């Protein structure tokens, strides 16, 4: 009896976060510097490219972007086209 695991999807393509950051002129370092929570340049890069991130990490990205903007304008659905697990 062969057991097959359903493959998880790890790549979701360029995320809306990338376009928003480009439009606003925000660099990865800006998010890292503004974050009150621990995020790294590597995490921000993965978030922009669409590598699967957990919900907690996604929320850290949302928080950092809103801190850079000085608003609470953005939500998870604005920045990511998948649900973090």
């Amino acid at each position: 009896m062969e057991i097959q695991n359903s493959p998880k999807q790890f790549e979701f393509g360029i995320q809306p976060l990338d376009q928003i950051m480009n439009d606003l002129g925000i660099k990865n370092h800006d998010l890292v510097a503004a974050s009150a929570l621990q995020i790294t340049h590597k995490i921000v890069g993965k978030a922009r490219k669409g590598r699967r991130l957990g919900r907690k990490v996604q929320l850290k990205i949302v928080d950092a972007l809103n801190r850079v903007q000085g608003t609470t304008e953005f939500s998870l659905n604005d920045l990511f086209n998948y649900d973090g697990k």
Side-chain angles (χ1 to χ4, degrees):
M1 178 187 268
E2 205 174 302
I3 299 174
Q4 291 185 350
N5 294 329
S6 60
K8 278 189 172 181
Q9 186 174 359
F10 291 103
E11 299 289 339
F12 295 93
I14 301 297
Q15 295 298 296
L17 168 67
D18 185 63
Q19 186 62 49
I20 290 169
M21 288 179 66
N22 287 336
D23 292 347
L24 296 173
I26 297 172
K27 304 289 184 202
N28 291 5
H29 181 75
D30 298 330
L31 289 188
V32 173
S35 178
L37 307 168
Q38 288 185 320
I39 60 172
T40 63
H41 294 86
K42 188 174 184 177
I43 289 171
V44 176
K46 286 181 178 184
R48 292 179 79 162
K49 292 177 185 173
R51 182 81 173 145
R52 177 181 287 281
L53 299 175
R55 176 154 325 263
K56 288 181 182 181
V57 177
Q58 286 179 332
L59 289 171
K60 289 179 181 184
I61 299 291
V62 171
D63 179 67
L65 183 60
N66 285 332
R67 285 177 180 272
V68 168
Q69 286 301 105
T71 66
T72 56
E73 179 180 344
F74 298 105
S75 68
L76 278 175
N77 293 333
D78 297 330
L79 305 183
F80 299 100
N81 61 14
Y82 67 94
D83 289 329
K85 302 290 181 191

